[in-house]
Amino acid sequence: RAGNRHLLPRERTMRCSRCLVALAACGDALSPFQILKSPIKKLLGKDAAAPATGAPDPFLKDFSRPMSIPEEGIAAAVEVMRGGRLFRYCATSAETSHVAQAEKEFAAMVNQKYALGVNSCSSAIMLALMAVGVEPGDQVITNGFTFTALPSTIMRLGAEPVLVEATKSWIMDLDDLEKKIAAFPDAKVLLLSHMRGKVCDMDRVVEICEKNGITLVEDCAHSCGVTWRGKQLGYHAKVTAYSTQSDKVINSGEGGFITTDDDEIAAKIIYLSGCYERRYGKHAVRPADELCEVAMAEMPNLSCRMNEVTAAVMRPLIKNLPQRVEAYNRRYDAVVKVLREEAGDVIVVPTQDERVGTVGDHLNFYLTGVTDEQNALFRQTCVAMGVPVSWFQSKVNARWHVNWRKYGSPTFDLPNTDEVLRFAYDLKMPPYFDDEDFPAFAKVIAYASNVAAGKIE
């Protein structure tokens, strides 16, 4: 430290940043806490000369911790384990099955006729695509900016993903969608992902699909609680997939739901998911027995079932989601307020269509007016100060289409998407944090952006 004292504040910042470069080079292997326990903490913390004026305290809470399971869910899961009936079809009836009751409750939450619980959202997407007739050799149009599970699932079925550009609002570019439909006239299914709950003009999506004979499947993995025109998102599609994985607003560890209003599709997905013989009677929301009998004879069994413990822990989180959405959004607004007030000329937080009702469970933003070197300094500073922002163009990020090519996903030139993601970031908004924590870590982000942009001397 003594060797730094002769430097001007800006020079100290740059010398600190050189130390951060070495740590950030292996940033995927180091946690923020490992970094904060290193000598960098002494450079950035209160016990050392600040690298620049106005530096906030490092943030010390763990961003990786998901929401806790309510006591009601814990008690229900323990009761299931005591009884031993973990397999959904071991339940004595639909009324005593946590999975069947969770399906009923989820269908009511999303205001759709049927819901089917499965072991993951990827399974939900796979079964949804199969239910609408996707076969090997087909082309399926989907987002160029989404999670790797979408192209992976399309390819798992022997089909080919056709990738569509994203806009600066992080939604599918509907002009490019129309271009891709024209360029790939054999594609008859659109798998539309609402990445991080960002929603494009659904009225126009429906219009485009109807005009071109396209079947719409929605990936609402990030959209439990998100609404379009006041209704839970997902109702425009023939079939919709939702996630209850731990990073989402309903935490079951791993899990998902498929929803539909179509009787025939509902029967198909019940049997595709792993129902067999006449166990359809243990589903609380199901189509007519006649349709289930047909599906029993015709559908393969893919064993994607949800288990009773998974359903038991999540049911209270389905019930209390509306109250939790209010808290998510209040805290999200507090973060955005700090970013816009303290770094509004460097940080851009995308806004949504006024017809969207949002859920602020993740913070997404991008930097503007910076170079690649400044962008690197930004994330290095954030991570060193305890805020593990995730860069979308990292070589290991599962949401950048360039990384999908490594496992054989088709190559598409998506310059607009690449430009959007070049300086773009993602950050969880952990519900266990206290209210005052949100503006505190927002100040770290704002500070890091101003340091990177050279605005703090």
Side-chain angles (χ1 to χ4, degrees), residues 209-369:
C209 288
E210 289 179 348
K211 180 176 68 176
N212 294 280
I214 301 288
T215 298
L216 175 62
V217 175
E218 285 184 74
D219 166 31
C220 287
H222 300 275
S223 300
C224 288
V226 176
T227 61
W228 176 265
R229 295 187 180 274
K231 293 175 60 179
Q232 167 62 52
L233 191 65
Y235 64 91
H236 297 91
K238 192 79 169 177
V239 198
T240 299
Y242 296 87
S243 177
T244 61
Q245 184 255 5
S246 287
D247 282 343
K248 312 303 190 299
V249 297
I250 297 174
N251 176 16
S252 70
E254 187 75 271
F257 287 94
I258 316 170
T259 64
T260 185
D261 288 326
D262 186 288
D263 297 344
E264 185 176 340
I265 285 179
K268 287 180 178 180
I269 60 178
I270 285 173
Y271 275 90
L272 284 170
S273 72
C275 187
Y276 57 97
E277 297 167 351
R278 289 196 168 94
R279 284 165 170 78
Y280 58 78
K282 294 184 179 180
H283 287 256
V285 285
R286 68 177 191 272
D289 290 357
E290 294 79 9
L291 289 173
C292 291
E293 290 283 327
V294 172
M296 178 177 63
E298 296 180 352
M299 292 295 105
N301 183 315
L302 301 181
S303 295
C304 300
R305 295 172 293 260
M306 180 180 286
N307 70 66
E308 290 288 301
V309 173
T310 296
V313 301
M314 77 160 72
R315 288 180 65 193
L317 296 170
I318 295 174
K319 182 170 62 178
N320 69 14
L321 180 58
Q323 293 74 38
R324 292 188 293 110
V325 166
E326 185 280 328
Y328 275 120
N329 288 340
R330 172 170 44 80
R331 291 167 157 194
Y332 176 88
D333 289 344
V335 170
V336 174
K337 182 175 185 289
V338 170
L339 297 182
R340 288 178 175 161
E341 288 179 352
E342 300 190 9
D345 54 347
V346 183
I347 292 177
V348 177
V349 180
T351 57
Q352 292 235 48
D353 189 302
E354 63 182 8
R355 294 167 288 183
V356 178
T358 61
V359 178
D361 63 316
H362 277 73
L363 175 66
N364 299 127
F365 61 92
Y366 60 89
L367 306 186
T368 185

Side-chain angles (χ1 to χ4, degrees), residues 111-169:
N111 196 31
Q112 294 195 52
K113 193 173 180 180
Y114 304 108
L116 177 77
V118 289
N119 58 5
S120 72
C121 188
S122 293
S123 292
I125 293 169
M126 179 180 70
L127 301 189
L129 293 175
M130 293 178 70
V132 299
V134 172
E135 296 179 345
D138 286 354
Q139 295 169 330
V140 177
I141 301 172
T142 194
N143 303 60
F145 171 47
T146 185
F147 187 59
T148 184
L150 274 72
S152 297
T153 302
I154 293 168
M155 294 169 65
R156 183 179 181 182
L157 296 177
E160 180 181 341
V162 174
L163 305 184
V164 181
E165 288 269 31
T167 73
K168 287 187 176 181
S169 296

Side-chain angles (χ1 to χ4, degrees), residues 15-82:
R15 179 165 290 189
C16 291
S17 74
R18 293 187 190 104
C19 298
L20 288 166
V21 168
L23 287 172
C26 55
D28 293 313
L30 288 173
S31 74
F33 304 99
Q34 289 172 309
I35 293 174
L36 284 166
K37 289 174 183 176
S38 74
I40 294 298
K41 182 179 179 182
K42 297 185 182 300
L43 290 171
L44 294 175
K46 292 184 292 184
D47 60 337
T53 58
D57 291 337
F59 191 81
L60 301 178
K61 287 191 175 180
D62 183 1
F63 280 86
S64 70
R65 176 182 157 187
M67 73 182 75
S68 299
I69 302 303
E71 290 300 320
E72 179 185 349
I74 294 171
V78 170
E79 187 63 27
V80 169
M81 289 185 281
R82 285 199 178 106

